[in-house]
Amino acid sequence: MNLILMGPPGAGKGTVAKQLINKYGIVQLSTGDMLRAAIKEGSEVGKKVEAVMAAGDLVSDELILELMENRLQQDDCEKGFILDGFPRTIPQAEGLDVILEKLEIKINAAVNIDVPKEVLVERLSSRRTCTNSSCQEIYNILNNPPKVEGKCDKCGSDVVQRDDETADAIMHRMDTYNEKTAPLIDYYKNKELVVDINGNQSYEAVINEVTSKL
Ligand code: AP5
């Protein structure tokens, strides 16, 4: 199964992806996680994108498409994948179509998670994320805190607030989503791939709705 996960910042894409990979035995390809790992490593890509991400802006389409074209050719993608946070602009979606055609891969569905804006802001302000690049487990201090404060339940690494979770950056990410990413819903509706999900329900209810509709 090859899926695209769509939805505004804080909709729960990462949370849903982490459950689906266990259920279906497929891999999560999160451009946000890959970029944060590159920043942590101090790589050239990381240095290029650090300030852009902290401000809540989008990284260039060229860089993202190159990253994903390489990633999609790795062996672990053969069993299926979830694109989490990609594509995020119409040029990225068009670029993805070209890559998929070249690699002879088909997308089964574009899962669109919808959550009201006021809920998103609260979720993002209270989210905490594991700093270990190969874990990046997601927590929420209001409804899903780590068992030991500040430490990841899975790997024991520090759990912190992301650099793009300041009030200004959150608002900017919302605006960027509405302007550049929301038009992708129609793009994939035209391809008859969209599966709409109400993301404003319990963790369990969201994942049940996703799996029953897929
Ligand atoms: P990215 O990491 O992709 O961030 P995002 O899309 O803004 O999404 P988030 O990770 O903030 O939210 P999410 O929907 O995954 O929600 P989560 O599951 O964590 O991108 C970050 C940056 O990288 C971008 O701003 C950009 O700079 C760059 N970038 C990445 N991809 C790019 C691309 N393709 N092109 C250009 N630039 C790119 O959940 C949020 C919180 O809510 C958590 O605390 C969680 O516990 C909680 N929660 C989840 N579900 C529920 C529920 N049902 N009930 C209650 N709480 C819930």
Side-chain angles (χ1 to χ4, degrees):
M1 171 134 39
N2 301 321
L3 301 175
I4 295 174
L5 264 189
M6 301 193 293
K13 302 181 293 296
T15 303
V16 165
K18 284 181 183 4
Q19 297 187 57
L20 293 181
I21 55 173
N22 293 331
K23 190 170 174 65
Y24 296 121
I26 56 183
V27 287
Q28 176 191 9
L29 307 182
S30 158
T31 39
D33 284 355
M34 289 179 205
L35 296 170
R36 279 185 289 279
I39 292 173
K40 203 169 173 215
E41 275 164 22
S43 70
E44 280 311 307
V45 169
K47 285 180 197 147
K48 250 189 225 170
V49 303
E50 189 165 14
V52 176
M53 284 180 73
D57 279 324
L58 291 185
V59 171
S60 78
D61 292 335
E62 292 72 23
L63 188 151
I64 293 288
L65 283 167
E66 192 184 329
L67 191 75
M68 292 310 284
E69 180 160 11
N70 291 333
R71 185 64 185 87
L72 281 164
Q73 292 180 66
Q74 289 174 19
D75 290 348
D76 59 349
C77 293
E78 278 171 18
K79 50 194 174 184
F81 56 79
I82 300 173
L83 300 179
D84 165 10
F86 168 80
R88 235 177 170 97
T89 62
I90 295 286
Q92 286 185 21
E94 291 168 347
L96 174 64
D97 285 345
V98 174
I99 296 169
L100 293 174
E101 200 178 330
K102 197 155 86 183
L103 301 178
E104 297 182 7
I105 299 173
K106 286 236 174 311
I107 295 293
N108 301 98
V111 176
N112 179 39
I113 308 175
D114 188 36
V115 176
K117 187 174 176 185
E118 60 282 8
V119 177
L120 296 172
V121 174
E122 187 189 90
R123 282 188 187 177
L124 290 174
S125 318
S126 50
R127 174 174 52 192
R128 298 294 182 270
T129 310
C130 174
T131 48
N132 176 352
S133 304
S134 56
C135 179
Q136 304 211 26
E137 188 65 12
I138 301 163
Y139 297 92
N140 191 290
I141 50 170
L142 300 181
N143 59 37
N144 180 30
K147 291 192 183 85
V148 176
E149 198 185 326
K151 295 286 169 200
C152 180
D153 296 351
K154 286 203 166 159
C155 71
S157 301
D158 289 343
V159 166
V160 300
Q161 199 158 20
R162 277 170 31 183
D163 290 342
D164 60 356
E165 278 162 347
T166 61
D168 281 354
I170 289 173
M171 286 308 157
H172 189 54
R173 284 163 60 202
M174 298 286 173
D175 291 343
T176 305
Y177 170 81
N178 288 327
E179 187 195 333
K180 300 202 168 135
T181 310
L184 291 180
I185 299 171
D186 279 344
Y187 185 89
Y188 287 110
K189 273 197 173 143
N190 288 335
K191 293 178 182 286
E192 299 184 355
L193 284 173
V194 173
V195 174
D196 284 309
I197 301 295
N198 171 15
N200 192 20
Q201 16 175 16
S202 70
Y203 289 90
E204 219 177 19
V206 172
I207 197 69
N208 285 343
E209 188 176 334
V210 174
T211 49
S212 69
K213 284 187 171 172
L214 278 179

